Amino acid sequence: MASDAAAETGSPLVDRWTALDRGWQALALGLGIVAAHAAGQVAGLF
Amino acid sequence: MGVAAAARPYLPGLGLLAAGALLSHLAAGAVDGLQPLVVAVAVGALVGNTVGTPEVAKPGVGVDKLFLETGIVLLGAAVVVEEFLAAGPTVLGLVVVAVGGGLLLAELIARGLFRLDGTTPSLLAAGASICGVSAVVAIGRVLDARGSAITFAAATVLLFDAVTLVAFPIAGEWLGLTGRQFGVWAGVSMFSTGPVAAAGFAHSPEAGQWATVTKLARNSLLGGVAVAYSLAYTARSATDPGVRRLWAEFPKFLLGFLAVAAVANSGLLSPAALESIGRVSDALFTLAFVGLGLSIRLREMREVGGAAVGAVLVHLLVVSALALAAVRWLL
């Protein structure tokens, strides 16, 4: 999860995530949460 | 190995952060006027300095900085752009003067008054003037500083993080500052991002937002300061200068904060969605502040050197006094 835990795990998704700088991880998570809220709004949840 | 298996080592620590966050909300709900974010730091510090962080929980607890930075990205949803644009030039001017003047002042105090030499004054100056421990490590890398010098400077910064985290909200209350004044004052004067945000939210939600935004502006100057230091120390570590260094040290989550602020102010999201994003941001801050408390080690702080503490203390007193006068006058 943290960028310094960069050992290969065999999962491309996990490897790509752990190779990211923490700032990029935070940016991706934050935008993901906003996108989920936008999707929820379209679905009528908000 | 799948995603679930890779996440497993983090679960005990995440559980510990979640338990601390839940306890903080329950305690804050039971006592009138108590802020959950402040209780979170106190709960973390209490656990960290009594039973300590269990070995099995350390990987998960280390995710606290990711939670803090993600919480800051989402804080963009609470920003009213017009308000920040109105005060922006003043705050930015304050930040640039505080970082530039603060660096020179810290170097002068540490070398002239306290007779510190080598890279230590520069590491202390970076930590005190830009963004705490991450600036110490970044500038340490640029200057090829010894590991012991970096550890020493980082421990000094952490000591002041702990002290200012308690002292600033008390001082803000005593001085009768508005939320905006207190937030900008803490954002300009204090050291690391986590304690700045925690101190801001301890005062009021408005102060928390201003403290975080002001601190982000300061953090964004790290790349420029790294380039300046690598030039000042000449070719010693000039292997990666210029734009690449600027970009490498730039806090990328700041771009996320700006993107979320732009989306929130575009009118695309409903007030209910924005409110929900704010709640997620608060939850992430609470988790991060439990981790911040867990990282405060009172025993290690006693080992920090007297000259370094003296130099940083004089610097903090001068910068915070000037910044206080400036925010009272300008904001």
Side-chain angles (χ1 to χ4, degrees):
Chain A
M1 221 168 273
S3 56
D4 52 3
E8 294 270 316
T9 62
S11 161
L13 183 67
V14 174
D15 288 343
R16 189 162 288 187
W17 178 256
T18 52
L20 278 178
D21 171 78
R22 193 178 64 227
W24 285 123
Q25 290 180 341
L27 187 152
L29 267 179
L31 293 185
I33 292 167
V34 172
H37 278 81
Q41 188 177 308
V42 171
L45 288 175
F46 296 107
Chain B
M1 200 196 312
V3 175
R8 200 166 296 136
Y10 295 96
L11 295 180
L14 293 176
L16 182 62
L17 293 182
L22 190 65
L23 186 66
S24 309
H25 274 283
L26 290 175
V31 181
D32 215 24
L34 209 54
Q35 297 270 3
L37 295 174
V38 180
V39 183
V41 180
V43 166
L46 188 69
V47 173
N49 289 282
T50 50
V51 293
T53 308
E55 205 58 43
V56 69
K58 283 185 178 164
V61 166
V63 182
D64 66 333
K65 291 189 181 67
L66 176 61
F67 287 152
L68 176 71
E69 292 180 2
T70 309
I72 292 174
V73 169
L74 296 178
L75 194 63
V79 163
V80 181
V81 166
E82 290 89 12
E83 197 184 319
F84 280 87
L85 284 181
T90 309
V91 174
L92 273 182
L94 261 177
V95 165
V96 171
V97 171
V99 170
L103 280 169
L104 292 175
L105 181 71
E107 291 272 3
L108 207 68
I109 292 168
R111 290 182 198 278
L113 212 58
F114 287 89
R115 304 282 168 212
L116 289 163
D117 55 11
T119 54
T120 301
S122 303
L123 297 176
L124 292 173
S129 302
I130 318 166
C131 52
V133 174
S134 47
V136 170
V137 174
I139 300 301
R141 242 179 8 232
V142 171
L143 303 184
D144 261 344
R146 284 177 295 117
S148 57
I150 293 177
T151 310
F152 179 74
T156 310
V157 166
L158 286 172
L159 169 70
F160 279 91
D161 279 343
V163 173
T164 52
L165 179 56
V166 177
F168 265 70
I170 295 170
E173 197 71 39
W174 183 67
L175 291 164
L177 297 178
T178 65
R180 184 197 289 197
Q181 286 175 331
F182 178 75
V184 174
W185 182 47
V188 165
S189 312
M190 288 173 65
F191 300 166
S192 299
T193 307
V196 168
F201 283 111
H203 183 281
S204 61
E206 189 197 5
Q209 288 173 22
W210 277 101
T212 309
V213 171
T214 307
K215 190 67 187 49
L216 289 181
R218 243 170 98 194
N219 293 0
S220 67
L221 298 178
L222 176 58
V225 172
V227 170
Y229 264 118
S230 86
L231 293 173
Y233 277 68
T234 57
R236 212 187 300 183
S237 177
T239 49
D240 193 16
V243 176
R244 268 176 63 195
R245 169 70 67 186
L246 275 172
W247 178 241
E249 305 298 354
F250 185 81
K252 316 296 185 298
F253 66 95
L254 180 57
L255 301 176
F257 170 84
L258 295 174
V260 173
V263 170
N265 282 271
S266 68
L268 283 173
L269 292 170
S270 66
L274 291 175
E275 201 177 302
S276 171
I277 292 172
R279 279 198 297 273
V280 178
S281 175
D282 277 349
L284 289 170
F285 273 123
T286 316
L287 291 167
F289 287 173
V290 176
L292 172 70
L294 283 168
S295 70
I296 295 173
R297 286 276 178 281
L298 297 176
R299 201 181 310 129
E300 285 168 21
M301 287 171 187
R302 287 195 212 118
E303 287 155 22
V304 173
V309 171
V312 176
L313 180 63
V314 172
H315 169 270
L316 176 69
L317 291 175
V318 173
V319 170
S320 57
L322 292 175
L324 178 62
V327 297
R328 282 199 139 154
W329 180 44
L330 297 168
L331 298 173

